[in-house]
Amino acid sequence: LPPPQYSWTYPLAMVVESLREFEDEHPPSKGRTNYYFIDLFALNQHKAAEEVGTTPEEGPFNAALAKARHGALMVLDGRAEPMWRIWCLYEVSRAREFNQAFRLIADDGDVANAGASTLEEISASLLKLRAYSANASRESDKDAIHYRILDPHLKSQASSFEKFTRYKYQLNESWFEEFDAHVCSLIGTPMLRAGLRAGSEAVCTRAVGMGAEATVADLETMTQRLGADLKAEVETRFG
């Protein structure tokens, strides 16, 4: 069901434990079982170029995302390593295109239950996120995915992948501002929930800067219980 994203820099045991914690927090209904598709094991890594197909849309994770009944998961630690891989960023964009729920989990399960220090470390990493600088094993993969996650106004000008490659030498991080802001905001709302639960003014204000969806009640809690100054400047994706 939910297909987790997996970074090769993580011990597999950590991923399994994170999923186990998530399962405890979100148990399947009686008589049912949750199944997890892990993209790392979806293809023969020794023949990845053959098995992914000629375009990113032909990759096996596309079918998993299209058919998932409960959305997608991404396993993170403080470094938010998967967010620096171009394929992982592309899967984030595909989850949005398939209108799938996208959730983040850490060592303690759902990221909303993570400790304040873990949340602050993850948020600091995501504020620095730039799709332009994301890594890929093959340059051709990076080019193909960059074309697909271009900001809409630029995508409309680059009417084809061939045209995009002709202007690739002009590529810079400003071409992906909307996408980067979207990825950064993914953790904002669960981070705000976790900050409120932990009673951390620092975590809450950083979450707002990342684009968290905050209600009036949330802001009242921040000011009245946590002493937050809503006129204070906070760090955002844009400065």
Side-chain angles (χ1 to χ4, degrees):
L1 296 177
Q5 309 235 12
Y6 181 77
S7 171
W8 292 2
T9 59
Y10 292 178
L12 182 58
M14 170 194 154
V15 176
V16 173
E17 186 58 31
S18 297
L19 292 176
R20 182 178 291 116
E21 292 287 344
F22 181 82
E23 185 93 358
D24 289 342
E25 297 165 1
H26 305 277
S29 56
K30 188 175 181 180
R32 294 180 177 270
T33 302
N34 280 345
Y35 293 94
Y36 297 89
F37 168 95
I38 300 181
D39 59 1
L40 171 64
F41 305 122
L43 48 79
N44 182 344
Q45 296 295 334
H46 298 287
K47 299 180 179 180
E50 297 176 23
E51 300 205 356
V52 167
T54 57
T55 66
E57 290 82 5
E58 294 179 8
F61 61 83
N62 284 280
L65 283 172
K67 297 179 180 180
R69 296 176 60 187
H70 299 293
L73 301 175
M74 178 180 278
V75 182
L76 295 177
D77 67 358
R79 295 176 300 168
E81 188 72 24
M83 295 296 196
W84 295 97
R85 297 287 301 174
I86 196 66
W87 273 106
C88 291
L89 290 180
Y90 179 62
E91 292 182 32
V92 172
S93 72
R94 291 297 280 171
R96 179 171 57 174
E97 291 170 16
F98 285 126
N99 198 31
Q100 290 283 13
F102 188 84
R103 307 178 73 165
L104 300 167
I105 59 177
D107 293 0
D108 300 325
D110 196 309
V111 75
N113 297 323
S117 60
T118 298
L119 289 168
E120 289 186 26
E121 189 179 3
I122 291 174
S123 64
S125 297
L126 292 185
L127 283 171
K128 300 173 185 176
L129 174 72
R130 301 293 184 272
Y132 172 71
S133 306
N135 300 315
S137 301
R138 297 191 305 168
E139 191 68 21
S140 58
D141 288 347
K142 190 171 183 177
D143 289 345
I145 294 171
H146 270 163
Y147 170 67
R148 286 158 172 81
I149 63 173
L150 279 173
D151 284 353
H153 69 284
L154 291 168
K155 186 72 174 289
S156 64
Q157 296 176 32
S159 54
S160 68
F161 178 64
E162 289 71 24
K163 185 175 181 180
F164 166 75
T165 56
R166 290 202 296 270
Y167 292 95
K168 195 182 73 166
Y169 68 93
Q170 298 179 359
L171 197 69
N172 61 71
E173 65 181 42
S174 69
W175 291 31
F176 311 100
E177 283 188 346
E178 290 187 32
F179 180 80
D180 288 346
H182 166 70
V183 174
C184 184
S185 70
L186 279 174
I187 196 176
T189 300
M191 185 174 170
L192 176 60
R193 301 269 76 76
L196 291 170
R197 185 180 295 113
S200 171
E201 183 270 344
V203 171
C204 290
T205 53
R206 173 167 277 179
V208 171
M210 293 177 70
E213 296 180 2
T215 65
V216 172
D218 293 335
L219 298 179
E220 288 177 345
T221 299
M222 289 174 60
T223 55
Q224 297 173 14
R225 186 162 65 86
L226 305 182
D229 179 4
L230 298 187
K231 294 182 180 180
E233 292 186 354
V234 297
E235 186 177 6
T236 73
R237 161 67 181 74
F238 301 102

